[in-house]
């Protein structure tokens, strides 16, 4: 894999159109997650509604693959580009997120085999979850869009405590700053206990 191919996926190009807040996630704060087991790139299927404590779930359209072209007009779709930089940022901040008491998952509509390639190539220390049938997305009425015959999730990040959505980041832009935004919110809203 050449450096140019890596750069194409791992760097955000200049001049991307920022998504606007269309209100498509206004209904999410305070919602309980649906009881659905989602296939994961590592370990057994995960039912996010059953997890206790703090969970960060970032939903993204789809990671690119180095040897494959991007979907049609990908850079012109507001908020579409940047799944690899977003995943890499959550990877790079993973230890800090764990220290803040949060577990991390990525979520997309790709199948587990497709996601596993990205998770391995990007050395992600957390699982990616597959919502290929859009059951989770439909249960929460998450925003989606269509391109090249694919139904993809719009980029949204949820902070969940004990199965209930506490905070929603939407729209997410630029995606490579999302993990830092989550960390800042956690530090402000859930400061670490003082060491005595």
């Amino acid at each position: 894999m050449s450096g140019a191919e890596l750069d194409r996926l791992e760097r955000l190009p200049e001049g991307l159109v920022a998504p606007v807040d269309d209100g498509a996630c206004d209904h999410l704060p305070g919602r309980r997650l649906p009881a659905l087991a989602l296939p994961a790139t590592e370990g057994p299927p995960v039912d996010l509604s059953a997890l206790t404590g703090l969970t960060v779930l970032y939903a993204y359209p789809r990671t690119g693959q180095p040897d494959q072209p991007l979907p049609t007009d990908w850079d012109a779709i507001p908020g579409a580009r940047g799944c690899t930089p977003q995943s890499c940022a959550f990877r790079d901040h993973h230890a800090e997120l764990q220290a803040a008491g949060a577990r991390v998952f990525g979520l997309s509509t790709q199948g587990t085999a497709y996601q596993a390639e990205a998770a391995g190539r990007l050395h992600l220390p957390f699982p990616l979850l597959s919502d290929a049938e859009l059951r989770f997305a439909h249960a929460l009425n998450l925003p989606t869009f269509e391109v090249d015959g694919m139904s993809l999730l719009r980029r949204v990040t949820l902070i969940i405590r004990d199965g209930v959505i506490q905070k929603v980041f939407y729209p997410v832009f630029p995606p490579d700053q999302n993990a830092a935004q989550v960390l800042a919110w956690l530090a402000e809203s859930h400061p670490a206990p003082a060491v005595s």
Side-chain angles (χ1 to χ4, degrees), residues 53-140:
L54 208 54
T55 301
V56 175
L57 176 70
Y58 71 97
Y60 61 92
R62 71 190 299 274
T63 51
Q65 293 181 317
D67 57 344
Q68 298 295 319
L70 294 171
T72 304
D73 296 327
W74 194 240
D75 288 358
I77 301 169
R81 184 73 181 263
C83 302
T84 296
Q86 183 183 27
S87 293
C88 290
F90 275 103
R91 175 198 66 201
D92 296 345
H93 288 293
H94 188 247
E96 296 163 84
L97 288 159
Q98 283 187 309
R103 67 178 67 80
V104 176
F105 297 96
L107 174 77
S108 75
T109 60
Q110 283 69 62
T112 304
Y114 185 104
Q115 292 178 327
E117 184 280 329
R121 176 170 39 87
L122 302 175
H123 308 289
L124 301 183
F126 50 82
L128 299 177
L129 305 179
S130 174
D131 190 24
E133 297 173 4
L134 293 163
R135 293 181 308 139
F136 186 84
H138 289 156
L140 282 178

Side-chain angles (χ1 to χ4, degrees), residues 8-180:
R8 178 177 71 94
L9 297 176
E10 293 184 14
R11 294 179 190 262
L12 288 172
E14 298 282 326
L16 288 177
V17 179
V20 297
D21 189 348
D22 56 4
C25 290
D26 290 354
H27 64 289
L28 291 174
R31 285 279 300 269
R32 176 161 286 285
L33 298 184
L36 291 171
L38 298 169
T41 51
E42 57 186 65
V46 176
D47 180 354
L48 295 165
S49 73
L51 299 179
T52 58
L54 208 54
T55 301
V56 175
L57 176 70
Y58 71 97
Y60 61 92
R62 71 190 299 274
T63 51
Q65 293 181 317
D67 57 344
Q68 298 295 319
L70 294 171
T72 304
D73 296 327
W74 194 240
D75 288 358
I77 301 169
R81 184 73 181 263
C83 302
T84 296
Q86 183 183 27
S87 293
C88 290
F90 275 103
R91 175 198 66 201
D92 296 345
H93 288 293
H94 188 247
E96 296 163 84
L97 288 159
Q98 283 187 309
R103 67 178 67 80
V104 176
F105 297 96
L107 174 77
S108 75
T109 60
Q110 283 69 62
T112 304
Y114 185 104
Q115 292 178 327
E117 184 280 329
R121 176 170 39 87
L122 302 175
H123 308 289
L124 301 183
F126 50 82
L128 299 177
L129 305 179
S130 174
D131 190 24
E133 297 173 4
L134 293 163
R135 293 181 308 139
F136 186 84
H138 289 156
L140 282 178
N141 196 24
L142 296 179
T144 61
F145 67 101
E146 306 287 326
V147 63
D148 292 349
M150 297 178 288
S151 187
L152 305 177
L153 297 170
R154 290 202 178 275
R155 198 180 308 280
V156 57
T157 299
L158 308 177
I159 311 273
I160 303 151
R161 182 176 289 281
D162 300 331
V164 177
I165 299 170
Q166 282 199 313
K167 169 71 176 170
V168 177
F169 292 86
Y170 178 82
V172 172
F173 192 82
D176 60 349
Q177 298 301 309
N178 188 215

